[in-house]
Amino acid sequence: MALATPIEEPRTSFAIAQRQFDIAADLLDLAPGLRSILRSPQRELTVNFPVKLDDGRIRVFTGYRVQHNLARGPLKGGIRYHPELSLDDVRALAMWMTWKCAVTNLPYGGAKGGVVVDPKQLSAHEIERLTRRFATEISILIGPERDVPAPDVNTNPQIMAWIMDTISMHQGYTVPAIVTGKPINIGGSEGRNEATARGLVAVLTQAASQLDLELSRLRIAVQGFGNAGANVARLLQARGASIVAVSDSRGGVYNPHGLDPVAILDHKGHTGTVSDYPEGEQISNADLIELDCDVLVPAALGDVITAANAPRVRARIVAEAANGPTTPAADDILYDQGTLVLPDILANAGGVTVSYFEWVQGLQEFFWSEQEVNAQLERVMGHAFHSVLRVAHERGVHMRTAAYLLAVRRVADAVTTRGIYP
Ligand code: GLU
C-alpha cells in the first residue's frame, strides 16, 4: 500500500474509516496487537438469497451483516437498502457504529447490514418478501443479546416490524428487542423517529453557543430529505433558524429568504421529490455543499465533502447527520479554514441513543414518555459533546479526531480488560 500524504484520499469508505482510526491509534500510541484487532471487523456475513417478484420471476439479491467489535456489549447498527452498497461500505459503517456507541458510552459494539437493492424499483409486497428473507438469512447472527438491527438509508419502521415479526415467527413468541426503530404500537419508543435529528440539534446548539452564535439567526443548508434531513430542517426551523436549502437524490432547492420544511415534506409526498419545489431556485447537490450559509448538514450519503470541494465550503459549521460525508483530506482543509465539523459519530448518535432506550424498554417491558426519552437523549448528547470538546482542546485536534480518541480508547480498554481468549 502507498504511503499516505496529507492530501491523498483513501479510495473506499472502509479505507477512509481505517485512515480515521489510524490517526487516533497513532496519537494514542496504541499497541500493535490492539491496533490490528480494532482495525478490521470481527465477523462478516454475505448472503445471496432468492425473492419471488410479483410477476412470478425469481431474483437473487446480495446482502451483508458485518460485526465490527463485540468488546463493549451486544452489537448495534442499522440496515441499509441501496443499489450501490458494497461489503466495503458495510465494513466502514459497522466500524463507525463501534466508535459512535463508544463516544456516547452506550454498552454496545458496532455492526451494520444491508441489501444491494434499489427499493424504488420494487413493490411494497416485494420489499416485504425481501426483508423477511434477508431477516431469516441473518438470523444466524442477530438477537436481542447478540446483534440488534435498526433503520438506516431507505429502511423504516415498517421494515423493522417485518424483521421483528419474521424472527418472532421462527421463535414462536414475540421478540420485541430484536430490532429498534419499530413502530410504537408494537414496542417502538416514543421519540425514536426524530431522535437522530433531535440529537444533532442538541449538539449543534452546544456548538453554536461555544462559538457565540445564536441558533435563531443561523442559515441552514440540508443535503438529504429522509428521516434525518427532513426532521433536522423541521426542528431547526421551529427553533427560529432559517432553512435556506434542502435536497434529495434528484437535486435541491435554494431560497436565501428561507424555505418551509413542512410544506416541502408535503410537496415531496405528492411529487416524490423536493427538487421541483416551486418556491426557490433549483440547485444540484454539488451546489448545495458550496452555498452561502452558516450551517451545512449533510444528511444523505457518504463522501460528499472531499479535497475537491472542501476549500469552497462557506458554512461556519458542518454538522454530519449522514455517516461518512467528509473525507480525511477534507477534514484537514476544513479545520485549517476554521470550519467546525461536528463529526458523524457524535452528531448523528441520537438515533442509536434512542435505539438503546428502545431496547432497554423492550427488555424491561416498561415504557417511557416522550418527555423522558427526550430528556435522557439531551443528557447523553450534551455529555458526549463536552467530553469530545475537552479532548479536542487538550490534544489540539479537530472534533473528529477528538471523538475517535475518546471512542478508540474506550473500546481498546474494554478489549484489554476482558483479555484475549483463550
Ligand atoms: N442507522 C443509524 C445510525 O447509523 C441508527 C443505528 C441504530 O439505531 O442502531 O446510527
Side-chain angles (χ1 to χ4, degrees):
M1 208 172 86
L3 262 185
T5 63
I7 51 157
E8 184 202 339
E9 297 270 30
R11 250 180 248 122
T12 67
S13 43
F14 186 50
I16 288 174
Q18 287 188 317
R19 170 74 59 85
Q20 292 165 340
F21 166 74
D22 287 340
I23 293 168
D26 285 346
L27 286 169
L28 290 168
D29 207 12
L30 216 60
L34 262 180
R35 187 188 282 249
S36 327
I37 292 171
L38 299 182
R39 213 171 177 273
S40 299
Q42 187 163 342
R43 297 178 186 146
E44 303 181 345
L45 174 68
T46 299
V47 293
N48 298 300
F49 59 94
V51 176
K52 262 190 215 143
L53 303 181
D54 291 343
D55 64 8
R57 282 181 305 142
I58 289 169
R59 201 172 132 194
V60 173
F61 291 87
T62 299
Y64 310 103
R65 187 73 183 170
V66 172
Q67 301 182 332
H68 173 254
N69 186 279
L70 291 69
R72 298 184 77 252
L75 294 140
K76 193 80 193 79
I79 288 178
R80 160 178 301 211
Y81 289 172
H82 197 274
E84 268 121 50
L85 187 73
S86 69
L87 176 56
D88 222 58
D89 294 333
V90 184
R91 288 180 176 131
L93 290 159
M95 191 193 247
W96 287 327
M97 285 308 304
T98 299
W99 313 138
K100 195 182 298 186
C101 294
V103 169
T104 38
N105 223 350
L106 306 178
Y108 288 136
K112 201 80 165 201
V115 178
V116 186
V117 59
D118 181 358
K120 291 177 190 108
Q121 309 284 323
L122 300 185
S123 72
H125 283 120
E126 289 168 335
I127 293 174
E128 176 174 353
R129 287 195 292 275
L130 175 140
T131 299
R132 288 184 180 278
R133 180 62 188 248
F134 178 60
T136 305
E137 295 288 338
I138 64 169
S139 65
I140 56 174
L141 284 184
I142 64 175
E145 290 87 24
R146 305 169 76 196
D147 181 352
V148 184
D152 196 76
V153 173
N154 289 332
T155 57
N156 56 35
Q158 177 61 68
I159 288 174
M160 296 307 114
W162 289 327
I163 296 175
M164 189 269 248
D165 184 71
T166 300
I167 302 298
S168 298
M169 288 299 122
H170 293 176
Q171 296 290 327
Y173 55 88
T174 299
V175 193
I178 184 88
V179 287
T180 59
K182 296 179 292 294
I184 289 178
N185 68 342
I186 54 164
S189 178
E190 296 288 347
R192 175 63 185 87
N193 203 42
E194 55 181 49
T196 306
R198 202 171 272 283
L200 184 136
V201 172
V203 168
L204 179 60
T205 307
Q206 303 281 348
S209 97
Q210 292 291 322
L211 297 175
D212 277 330
L213 299 171
E214 246 177 79
L215 206 64
S216 61
R217 302 177 86 98
L218 298 180
R219 296 163 306 148
I220 320 276
V222 184
Q223 182 183 68
F225 214 68
N227 173 284
N231 281 313
V232 163
R234 203 173 48 74
L235 291 176
L236 284 174
Q237 196 208 30
R239 302 280 294 271
S242 172
I243 309 304
V244 294
V246 300
S247 71
D248 59 28
S249 57
R250 293 194 224 165
V253 54
Y254 169 62
N255 187 334
H257 306 295
L259 294 158
D260 177 1
V262 178
I264 295 179
L265 200 58
D266 187 56
H267 177 87
K268 190 186 164 191
H270 289 107
T271 68
T273 179
V274 306
S275 60
D276 54 4
Y277 184 69
E279 284 167 41
E281 180 193 330
Q282 297 201 345
I283 54 167
S284 69
N285 271 298
D287 296 334
L288 187 140
I289 299 290
E290 301 173 16
L291 275 185
D292 181 20
C293 63
D294 303 303
V295 181
L296 173 61
V297 183
L301 295 173
D303 250 352
V304 294
I305 308 176
T306 65
N309 61 3
R312 293 190 298 277
V313 167
R314 287 190 270 173
R316 179 75 185 81
I317 300 175
V318 174
E320 298 182 339
N323 289 309
T326 310
T327 65
D331 264 334
D332 290 341
I333 294 167
L334 294 172
Y335 187 56
D336 289 344
Q337 70 195 31
T339 311
L340 176 67
V341 176
L342 301 171
D344 47 8
I345 59 171
L346 169 68
N348 74 27
V352 72
T353 300
V354 177
S355 275
Y356 168 61
F357 300 157
E358 179 176 332
W359 180 73
V360 168
Q361 292 171 76
L363 291 175
Q364 299 186 335
E365 303 199 38
F366 178 78
F367 292 88
W368 312 352
S369 70
E370 186 175 356
Q371 226 180 358
E372 284 172 275
V373 169
N374 290 345
Q376 291 290 343
L377 173 63
E378 296 275 335
R379 182 185 59 80
V380 171
M381 298 307 293
H383 192 262
F385 174 80
H386 287 288
S387 309
V388 173
L389 189 67
R390 196 174 322 117
V391 176
H393 286 156
E394 279 167 12
R395 303 292 298 251
V397 293
H398 55 58
M399 292 288 275
R400 185 178 328 274
T401 295
Y404 268 73
L405 288 174
L406 195 69
V408 172
R409 178 80 278 158
R410 283 182 179 155
V411 181
D413 284 350
V415 172
T416 307
T417 305
R418 288 180 61 157
I420 304 300
Y421 178 87

